[in-house]
Amino acid sequence: MKSKEELLKELSDCVVEMKDNLVGGVAKEYIEAGYPALDGITEGLVDGMQRTADLYEQEEYFIPELLICSDAMYNGLDVLRPHLEKTESREKHKVVIGVVEGDTHDIGKNLVRIMLEAAGYEMHDLGRDVALRSFVDKAKEIKADVIAMSTLMSTTMPGMSQVIEMLIAEGLRDKVKVIVGGAPISPTFAQKIGADGYSATAVEAVKLVNRLMGVESEKIGA
Amino acid sequence: MAKVTINHNNGIVSAYESDRAVNLYQFLAGLKLIDAPCGGAGGCGKCKVKILNPHVACQEKEKETFTEAEIAEGWRLACLHSIAEDITLALPPEEVLTEIISQGYLRDFVLKPHIAKRLDQNGNTVVMAGQEIIGIEQSDTRNRLYGLAIDIGTTTIVAGLIDLSNGQELASISCLNGQKTFGQDVITRINYAMTNTNGTLIQQKTILQDLRKLIKGVIAQCSRDYTITSKDIYEITVGGNNTMIHLLAGIDPSSMGVSPYLPAFTGALVLKAVKDLHLPVSEFCLVYCLPAVSAFVGGDITAGILACGIHQEAGNTLFIDIGTNGEMVLSRNGRLVACSCAAGPALEGMNISCGVRAAEGAIEDVQLRGSGADIVVEVSVIGNVKPTGLCGSGLLAAVAELVRTGILHKSGRLLEHPLVEKVAGKKRFVIDRDNEIYLTQQDIRQVQLAKGAILSGIQTMVQAAGMDFSEIDRVLVAGQFGAHLKAESLTGSGLIPRELESVITYVGNTSKSGAYLCLLSTAERETVEKVAGQVSYIELSHLEGFDNVFVKAMEF
């Protein structure tokens, strides 16, 4: 029988090496051997996703690899999650994410959602062409820690600023961090509209949110 | 006030005054001395200036753009600085476009212009637009009847002076679109219209200035051989994307800038040249703008359909205009489907570390000779001078060659090779070490995004038509970009499927040749209006599952 360390490494490798077909089998083997699901997630799958992110930063991997690796991670999670102990699920930081009203290009936003989810954040994805009001309403409803907005079109950038104004008007601005991204967005723009941060890539977005939340790195839970 | 002193390349020094705290890019753009694809948002790194004042602060973005030596010399990005005190600048050498493609493919047609002149019983000349009398001129002026066929592109404008009696083109000139200072692509132009007071009218004024300049130019160009004045121009036809046409007419384009991307109009638009646009032409002159299909498939594309006749030809044709936006039309025995994809500025040499416009010094072709570790790079440079960088065609040629030789993995990753080096953790392929021209991994990623956008557009349309690639009989590539491009670069870099390589034809500026047809034939005008209404448009970003097609299309 394989050791726990061997199986964790296999789980991690399945994610990095994009073996989305094999990962489920390894996860099953891991559970059947009686090892704890939580470790399998954090030290196996999430570790793999972290290595994927590193490869992205080194420019070895690009958008397609991030997506296929995340498919592998999700396939593994499908097997491991049902075996988590109830007590192992805990409060996670909540992020509301969406493409602002007027724009329907959402590949970048989807990548950010995936990477933040892998990093252990509870994601509430409002989709694309999202009414500005909805960002505020959703954040209020779930007591979000972060609002993340993206756009590909410079014509819709003013919407980001309006969301921030709505948050101020409702006295919510100090309760939630706001981050922005997308091709036409620059750090200067983020600063100008009073956002808390900007990131150029999905991988950077994780570091940004970690920094804003004051955590080293979140780990995925249930 | 602060004094701004500019040392021009040709040795001339000019001095200006500016309010303090004005952004340097905005100031220089206002003087039309500079333009950048991002319109001064700090994104593209193309607004390079040399600030000769000592100790100018340097930002992170500038450290990425310039070498340490360049920073020490004072090179900065204008958009990241404001005019805080008296300042002295030097500008980089001006880029001169070697050639703007002014001619396009044209099929046969029957000459019967919309505008005609006949003599009445009193010996005066009646000016007719179709069946309608639009003016009467004293005495016989029938020998003075000219028109303009114009292509208004986002980057360049081309105008041809046409003798309406025989269809002969007497002169043709072009210029860069003066709206460039408001941004490189249509979205930034729309944004300018949305966010600035009178933003639409300011851009209308700019385009009208350009048109006046071109009218003066064509008249001057043929003044040696003909005695024509600009008042002898009785009709102008315009092919242009829908944003350009909105701005020409002074109609707010804002609604095209946000989902669901609805234009204010799509039909053919007729304006009065003197009353509406104050152009120096005949008081009876009309301006006819070819109809659009949607916000992002405009009159330049319907002009292309018309000029190439793909609506009436048997067989299956794919028509593509490659630029910042890639627009394409697929005809299945005359049934037309169209879409537009955001390719980004990479293919025009922007957002590419060693990217330059197609001008003297640009590498327009790259070939890798030999095999394995012995591969050497050969380049051809426009004007046979010292290379300054890669233009779009050189960029795609390089990528195609890297794919062919296996130095580039199909995932887009540079593999190990003597010509692949790692500097500060970033990989790059050495194209010309002496002249410091490299293709970085990041550049290749930009190409990958562009080619994913175009290829996924093609795939989606072919699928929507229920076809496969082998059924496509011909591929027509239109626009400025395709001119220097080899078919094998288009397929080798994966913009167009490889099985189509042998059927690719370059058709040039069909926006202008479509405008030409509409100038010389009422019937062609009716045809283009009918055809524009029959094209079914696919909005790719609204399609479920398009993400997956796009991501898959990024593979080389």
Side-chain angles (χ1 to χ4, degrees):
Chain A
M1 206 175 77
K2 287 175 186 159
S3 73
K4 184 181 170 191
E5 280 63 39
E6 275 173 313
L7 284 167
L8 286 176
K9 180 155 187 322
E10 271 185 44
L11 282 172
S12 175
D13 289 348
C14 278
V15 173
V16 179
E17 290 159 18
M18 298 174 262
K19 293 178 178 157
D20 50 336
N21 295 325
L22 300 181
V23 67
V26 179
K28 219 166 147 230
E29 192 182 342
Y30 175 88
I31 288 296
E32 278 164 6
Y35 302 128
L38 184 63
D39 295 351
I41 292 172
T42 57
E43 291 164 41
L45 300 174
V46 172
D47 177 72
M49 211 54 209
Q50 185 53 50
R51 287 164 59 204
T52 302
D54 291 344
L55 286 167
Y56 179 89
E57 290 214 304
Q58 292 159 21
E59 297 179 350
E60 294 287 321
Y61 275 10
F62 197 42
I63 294 166
E65 289 89 340
L66 278 190
L67 288 172
I68 304 168
C69 292
S70 75
D71 281 347
M73 176 190 75
Y74 285 122
N75 288 351
L77 282 176
D78 285 346
V79 178
L80 296 184
R81 265 187 182 147
H83 299 278
L84 282 172
E85 305 280 333
K86 275 250 154 47
T87 52
E88 285 172 344
S89 74
R90 61 194 168 78
E91 268 307 279
K92 291 193 268 182
H93 287 301
K94 293 172 183 163
V95 182
V96 172
I97 190 168
V99 176
V100 292
E101 189 164 10
D103 189 7
T104 48
H105 301 85
D106 62 354
I107 294 175
K109 180 268 296 173
N110 292 342
L111 273 173
V112 174
R113 184 199 65 223
I114 288 166
M115 295 313 290
L116 283 172
E117 196 159 30
Y121 292 95
E122 183 180 311
M123 301 304 293
H124 297 264
D125 189 349
L126 302 179
R128 58 197 190 186
D129 196 5
V130 175
L132 303 177
R133 184 76 241 164
S134 304
F135 283 99
V136 180
D137 289 346
K138 191 72 187 177
K140 233 175 7 189
E141 176 199 325
I142 62 157
K143 295 195 171 59
D145 301 283
V146 178
I147 292 177
M149 293 182 278
S150 100
T151 183
L152 185 74
M153 299 169 75
S154 50
T155 44
T156 63
M157 285 160 61
M160 297 178 164
S161 166
Q162 288 172 36
V163 169
I164 293 179
E165 281 160 21
M166 283 183 215
L167 290 171
I168 295 170
E170 305 212 3
L172 294 169
R173 184 63 189 92
D174 54 347
K175 296 192 174 62
V176 58
K177 301 286 184 191
V178 177
I179 64 169
V180 293
I185 311 288
S186 66
T188 323
F189 173 80
Q191 211 173 13
K192 200 177 92 191
I193 64 165
D196 297 293
Y198 156 85
S199 83
T201 69
V203 171
E204 255 180 53
V206 174
K207 293 181 181 169
L208 172 64
V209 176
N210 284 344
R211 199 168 66 236
L212 292 173
M213 295 295 100
V215 289
E216 263 307 298
S217 115
E218 290 270 320
K219 291 288 182 193
I220 213 153
Chain B
M1 298 294 272
K3 203 168 110 189
V4 182
T5 310
I6 299 173
N7 299 340
H8 293 275
N9 247 308
N10 50 14
I12 295 173
V13 177
S14 47
Y16 303 89
E17 298 236 304
S18 163
D19 288 332
R20 278 170 205 271
V22 168
N23 178 280
L24 187 55
Y25 172 80
Q26 300 301 346
F27 179 77
L28 294 170
L31 294 171
K32 306 227 179 291
L33 289 171
I34 199 166
D35 71 271
C38 74
C44 69
K46 295 292 174 190
C47 58
K48 295 171 183 169
V49 295
K50 198 166 166 180
I51 302 179
L52 302 171
N53 299 33
H55 312 301
V56 175
C58 167
Q59 298 191 24
E60 210 46 49
K61 173 81 194 166
E62 293 172 320
K63 289 179 191 155
E64 290 169 22
T65 310
F66 299 107
T67 63
E68 267 181 48
E70 286 172 329
I71 285 176
E73 281 172 24
W75 286 103
R76 296 291 186 276
L77 297 177
C79 71
L80 299 178
H81 296 270
S82 27
I83 300 171
E85 52 180 351
D86 288 356
I87 187 170
T88 305
L89 306 170
L91 298 179
E94 194 176 344
E95 283 179 299
V96 183
L97 285 182
T98 37
E99 52 186 288
I100 293 171
I101 307 304
S102 61
Q103 302 305 343
Y105 173 83
L106 193 63
R107 63 182 164 77
D108 290 338
F109 70 103
V110 180
L111 182 83
K112 193 172 184 304
H114 184 60
I115 296 286
K117 285 183 171 182
R118 64 174 169 80
L119 223 51
D120 69 7
Q121 61 263 48
N122 305 323
N124 292 327
T125 307
V126 180
V127 184
M128 310 280 298
Q131 300 302 316
E132 194 190 339
I133 297 173
I134 57 168
I136 295 177
E137 290 175 334
Q138 281 190 355
S139 71
D140 187 351
T141 63
R142 282 178 302 172
N143 62 339
R144 315 189 73 80
L145 187 58
Y146 300 91
L148 289 175
I150 299 183
D151 159 45
I152 301 184
T154 314
T155 313
T156 53
I157 310 171
V158 182
L161 178 66
I162 315 294
D163 184 338
L164 294 183
S165 69
N166 58 15
Q168 195 193 345
E169 179 168 272
L170 307 177
S172 169
I173 60 170
S174 52
C175 67
L176 291 171
N177 187 330
Q179 294 170 351
K180 244 157 32 96
T181 45
F182 308 116
Q184 185 95 354
D185 55 57
V186 292
I187 299 297
T188 49
R189 305 272 172 86
I190 295 172
N191 192 38
Y192 186 87
M194 285 170 80
T195 51
N196 291 274
T197 323
N198 290 330
T200 301
L201 297 180
I202 291 169
Q203 294 187 90
Q204 184 192 31
K205 206 173 131 197
T206 310
I207 184 72
L208 292 178
Q209 268 167 6
D210 287 340
L211 292 186
R212 274 192 280 274
K213 195 168 67 186
L214 289 175
I215 290 171
K216 227 169 116 184
V218 283
I219 296 292
Q221 201 183 72
C222 61
S223 64
R224 257 199 333 193
D225 303 319
Y226 306 91
T227 52
I228 301 172
T229 75
S230 65
K231 297 287 178 198
D232 298 331
I233 295 170
Y234 285 82
E235 179 134 75
I236 298 171
T237 52
V238 181
N241 68 54
N242 217 353
T243 304
M244 292 304 111
I245 301 302
H246 276 64
L247 293 175
L248 172 68
I251 297 170
D252 183 3
S254 298
S255 59
M256 289 190 285
V258 293
S259 175
Y261 319 118
L262 296 177
F265 61 93
T266 53
L269 186 69
V270 177
L271 300 162
K272 294 204 161 69
V274 176
K275 190 166 152 274
D276 297 335
L277 304 179
H278 311 296
L279 294 172
V281 292
S282 160
E283 58 175 317
F284 307 122
C285 181
L286 299 175
V287 179
Y288 176 87
C289 305
L290 274 73
V293 172
S294 68
F296 300 124
V297 175
D300 49 345
I301 304 305
T302 60
I305 297 173
L306 185 72
C308 300
I310 64 174
H311 59 287
Q312 60 184 27
E313 263 186 48
N316 304 321
T317 306
L318 176 66
F319 174 93
I320 310 185
D321 186 337
I322 302 171
T324 307
N325 264 340
E327 294 111 342
M328 50 192 94
V329 180
L330 179 67
S331 165
R332 185 175 195 189
N333 283 316
R335 233 187 27 228
L336 303 163
V337 188
C339 72
S340 165
C341 48
L347 300 179
E348 299 187 334
M350 301 290 144
N351 283 357
I352 298 295
S353 60
C354 288
V356 293
R357 285 207 179 101
E360 191 172 85
I363 294 177
E364 60 173 341
D365 194 14
V366 175
Q367 286 188 312
L368 302 186
R369 303 267 182 221
S371 63
D374 299 324
I375 283 174
V376 289
V377 186
E378 272 179 25
V379 300
S380 2
V381 181
I382 299 179
N384 278 322
V385 294
K386 195 167 108 86
T388 53
L390 287 163
C391 66
S393 58
L395 176 69
L396 287 192
V399 170
E401 283 291 87
L402 288 171
V403 173
R404 180 182 64 81
T405 53
I407 297 174
L408 196 64
H409 185 256
K410 64 182 167 64
S411 68
R413 184 161 39 98
L414 281 168
L415 300 176
E416 298 229 337
H417 187 273
L419 287 173
V420 175
E421 57 183 29
K422 217 168 186 176
V423 176
K426 308 279 181 191
K427 276 196 281 191
R428 64 189 190 186
F429 178 78
V430 181
I431 289 180
D432 182 341
R433 191 183 298 282
D434 293 341
N435 292 304
E436 295 183 27
I437 294 168
Y438 307 97
L439 186 66
T440 67
Q441 180 70 66
Q442 188 59 36
D443 295 339
I444 293 168
R445 298 308 190 187
Q446 293 298 321
V447 173
Q448 228 175 332
L449 288 172
K451 87 118 190 155
I454 294 195
L455 182 59
S456 58
I458 296 175
Q459 288 170 334
T460 303
M461 281 201 313
V462 169
Q463 204 190 359
M467 293 164 61
D468 61 54
F469 294 134
S470 63
E471 294 174 75
I472 294 178
D473 303 307
R474 59 201 153 255
V475 178
L476 307 177
V477 179
Q480 297 294 328
F481 178 70
H484 303 269
L485 212 55
K486 294 179 299 187
E488 62 199 80
S489 296
L490 277 171
T491 55
S493 59
L495 265 79
I496 294 178
R498 200 173 291 277
E499 42 274 56
L500 298 178
E501 185 173 310
S502 61
V503 296
I504 295 176
T505 309
Y506 178 64
V507 290
N509 190 337
T510 51
S511 175
K512 186 183 149 217
S513 44
Y516 172 87
L517 283 178
C518 290
L519 185 64
L520 293 171
S521 160
T522 311
E524 296 295 345
R525 221 178 258 211
E526 285 160 6
T527 302
V528 77
E529 288 168 22
K530 199 173 111 214
V531 167
Q534 288 168 347
V535 179
S536 47
Y537 174 70
I538 304 176
E539 173 55 48
L540 296 174
S541 71
H542 289 168
L543 287 183
E544 282 305 320
F546 178 69
D547 284 19
N548 293 331
V549 183
F550 169 70
V551 167
K552 224 172 150 33
M554 283 167 63
E555 189 171 283
F556 285 108

